[in-house]
């Protein structure tokens, strides 16, 4: 077996960590995989797959001996990196050039979202022939799915996201009254929102704890999380920016209708009027779109089929290994 070096962290419950574990499951059947968190320590001419965010990669953009053999996963639009690090205006050009230098030397760029891929091709003028769309996959393909016959006492909503501003919790809080009323009018039920993800912002946690019908579950192990997917009537995500969120793909796998913002890679997963509905943050049309969602929720019953066609482990396994050969 050939050796491959996988640059990742494999820690915690973030989307990047889970994605790394999924990719590792693909790689380990064909390669001898060495895992490292820092490419600077490597001194071998092997296949290198990096699944770190770009702001963790640009410090080794001058490693000519190694970066030419790197397959780099990219999860978010360039704007995410600008906003995440809060660079000063004077730093932006330097950072841009560092990223460009690194991306140019990488052998191939693997994007979990085609929207993100097109964003990078446009902003960095990257050769599109070295860019490939390798979407996220669910880690629950062997889990038992319980058919939801809508017998829940409450309308159960699942919100899987780390507690941080960009995940749109302010939108969720500000629209709770609207969402509750529409659910009551359509289904004659109260709502119950279960929130699962890493605790990053304590202010968000305090607001969750003060909001009725909203429960923070923390980071659940897979067995417990499956329980909440199986009981969910809808999966929500109101993010301001995303790569391609795992919770949406997992929602598809469990055949759950999706209600989300329409940013970035979300629109590849939640197809408006097909798998659920999306709203536009700038247009402030959440109320109208959520009414549409509730009116048509019975039509969003083929999400598992959409998952099988686009995000299955078998499909991603084939496409990724084909690139590495």
């Amino acid at each position: 077996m050939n050796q491959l070096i996988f640059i990742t962290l494999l820690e915690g419950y973030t989307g990047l960590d889970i994605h790394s574990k999924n990719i590792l499951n693909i790689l380990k059947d064909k390669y001898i995989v060495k895992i490292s968190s820092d490419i600077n320590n490597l001194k071998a001419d092997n296949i290198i797959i990096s699944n770190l965010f770009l702001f963790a990669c640009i410090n080794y953009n001058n490693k000519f001996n190694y970066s030419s053999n790197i397959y780099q996963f990219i999860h978010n639009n360039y704007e995410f990196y600008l906003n995440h690090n809060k660079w000063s205006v004077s730093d932006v050009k330097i950072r841009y050039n560092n990223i460009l230098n690194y991306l140019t030397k990488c052998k191939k760029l693997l994007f979990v979202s085609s929207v993100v891929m097109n964003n990078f091709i446009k902003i960095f003028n990257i050769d599109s022939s070295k860019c490939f769309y390798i979407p996220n996959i669910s880690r629950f393909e062997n889990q038992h799915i319980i058919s939801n016959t809508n017998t829940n006492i409450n309308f159960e909503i699942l919100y899987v996201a780390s507690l941080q501003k960009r995940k749109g919790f302010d939108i969720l809080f500000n629209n709770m009254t609207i969402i509750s009323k529409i659910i009551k009018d359509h289904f004659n039920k109260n709502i119950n929102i279960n929130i699962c993800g890493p605790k990053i912002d304590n202010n968000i946690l305090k607001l969750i704890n003060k909001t009725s019908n909203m429960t923070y579950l923390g980071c659940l192990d897979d067995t417990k999380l499956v329980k909440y997917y199986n009981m969910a009537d809808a999966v929500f995500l109101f993010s301001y920016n995303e790569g391609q969120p795992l919770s949406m793909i997992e929602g598809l796998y469990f055949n759950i209708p999706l209600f989300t913002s329409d940013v970035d890679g979300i629109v590849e997963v939640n197809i408006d009027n097909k798998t659920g509905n999306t709203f536009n943050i700038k247009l402030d049309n959440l109320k109208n779109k959520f009414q549409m969602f509730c009116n048509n929720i019975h039509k969003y019953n083929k999400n598992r089929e959409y998952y099988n066609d686009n995000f299955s482990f078998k499909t991603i396994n084939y496409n990724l290994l084909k690139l590495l050969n």
Side-chain angles (χ1 to χ4, degrees), residues 148 156 158 228-235 248 250-258 275 300 303-304:
N148 191 336
E156 298 288 341
L158 185 60
Y228 285 96
Y229 273 116
N230 274 320
M231 66 185 287
D233 293 298
V235 174
M248 298 293 96
E250 290 165 357
L252 291 179
Y253 176 74
F254 285 94
N255 209 41
I256 307 168
L258 311 178
T275 59
Y300 308 138
N303 286 1
R304 179 66 184 276

Side-chain angles (χ1 to χ4, degrees), residues 78-87 241:
Y78 176 60
E79 290 77 8
F80 165 81
Y81 297 99
L82 292 179
N83 296 332
H84 186 90
N85 273 2
K86 299 179 181 178
W87 299 330
N241 59 74

Side-chain angles (χ1 to χ4, degrees), residues 9 48 56 77 89 106 108 183 211 215-216 221 254-255 284:
L9 297 177
I48 299 171
N77 280 336
V89 176
C106 286
K108 292 180 182 178
I183 291 293
T211 305
T215 304
Y216 176 60
D221 63 38
F254 285 94
N255 209 41
D284 194 24

Side-chain angles (χ1 to χ4, degrees), residues 37-252:
S37 61
D38 188 356
I39 198 172
N40 287 309
N41 296 325
L42 303 177
K43 296 181 179 179
D45 186 19
N46 298 105
I47 295 175
I48 299 171
I49 296 183
S50 173
N51 202 25
L52 297 175
F53 284 134
L54 284 179
F55 52 69
C57 298
I58 57 176
N59 64 318
Y60 47 77
N61 69 310
N62 290 320
K63 292 287 182 178
F64 291 100
N65 292 334
Y66 312 131
S67 60
S68 61
N69 202 32
I70 287 181
Y71 294 70
Q72 173 67 45
F73 271 104
I74 299 174
H75 293 257
N76 295 91
N77 280 336
Y78 176 60
E79 290 77 8
F80 165 81
Y81 297 99
L82 292 179
N83 296 332
H84 186 90
N85 273 2
K86 299 179 181 178
W87 299 330
S88 66
V89 176
S90 60
D91 286 338
V92 169
K93 187 173 182 180
I94 296 174
R95 300 281 188 171
Y96 173 92
N97 288 334
N98 283 344
I99 292 176
L100 176 60
N101 186 33
Y102 174 70
L103 296 179
T104 301
K105 291 185 295 183
C106 286
K107 186 171 185 177
K108 292 180 182 178
L109 304 174
L110 313 178
F111 294 87
V112 300
S113 160
S114 64
V115 174
V116 172
M117 181 171 70
N118 292 332
N119 174 268
F120 267 78
I121 290 173
K122 179 180 179 180
I123 290 176
F124 290 95
N125 194 28
I126 300 171
D127 179 1
S128 60
S129 67
K130 67 185 289 183
C131 300
F132 299 88
Y133 172 44
I134 305 289
N136 275 317
I137 50 181
S138 169
R139 62 198 187 276
F140 297 127
E141 286 197 17
N142 294 323
Q143 298 289 338
H144 178 58
I145 297 177
I146 300 172
S147 178
N148 191 336
T149 56
N150 203 28
T151 58
N152 294 327
I153 296 174
N154 296 315
F155 189 90
E156 298 288 341
I157 296 168
L158 185 60
Y159 203 107
V160 182
S162 55
L163 303 191
Q164 54 180 313
K165 182 178 179 181
R166 75 179 184 90
K167 295 295 185 177
F169 283 97
D170 58 322
I171 301 173
L172 180 63
F173 296 138
N174 293 339
N175 287 279
M176 277 294 294
T177 301
I178 291 172
I179 293 169
S180 298
K181 184 178 186 305
I182 293 174
I183 291 293
K184 191 71 173 178
D185 290 344
H186 278 78
F187 307 108
N188 194 28
K189 291 184 176 184
N190 296 320
I191 65 170
N192 184 47
I193 301 180
N194 291 305
I195 299 170
C196 174
K199 181 178 68 175
I200 294 178
D201 189 326
N202 283 325
N203 291 324
I204 293 175
L205 180 58
K206 290 177 183 177
L207 288 172
I208 292 172
N209 291 335
K210 290 179 180 178
T211 305
S212 61
N213 303 323
M214 198 177 282
T215 304
Y216 176 60
L217 304 172
C219 292
L220 300 179
D221 63 38
D222 288 355
T223 302
K224 291 179 180 177
L225 185 54
V226 165
K227 169 188 171 183
Y228 285 96
Y229 273 116
N230 274 320
M231 66 185 287
D233 293 298
V235 174
F236 280 14
L237 188 64
F238 297 171
S239 296
Y240 287 94
N241 59 74
E242 280 289 347
Q244 191 185 76
L246 279 168
S247 64
M248 298 293 96
I249 293 175
E250 290 165 357
L252 291 179

Side-chain angles (χ1 to χ4, degrees), residues 113 115-116 166 236-245 247-248 258-272 275 277-279 306 311:
S113 160
V115 174
V116 172
R166 75 179 184 90
F236 280 14
L237 188 64
F238 297 171
S239 296
Y240 287 94
N241 59 74
E242 280 289 347
Q244 191 185 76
S247 64
M248 298 293 96
L258 311 178
F259 185 69
T260 68
S261 56
D262 65 357
V263 300
D264 304 335
I266 286 181
V267 297
E268 296 170 320
V269 183
N270 188 13
I271 310 302
D272 202 33
T275 59
N277 286 102
T278 63
F279 67 91
Y306 184 67
F311 306 105

Side-chain angles (χ1 to χ4, degrees), residues 252-253 255 274 301-311:
L252 291 179
Y253 176 74
N255 209 41
K274 179 179 179 179
N301 60 358
K302 295 183 179 180
N303 286 1
R304 179 66 184 276
E305 293 179 17
Y306 184 67
Y307 171 88
N308 288 337
D309 291 341
N310 295 276
F311 306 105

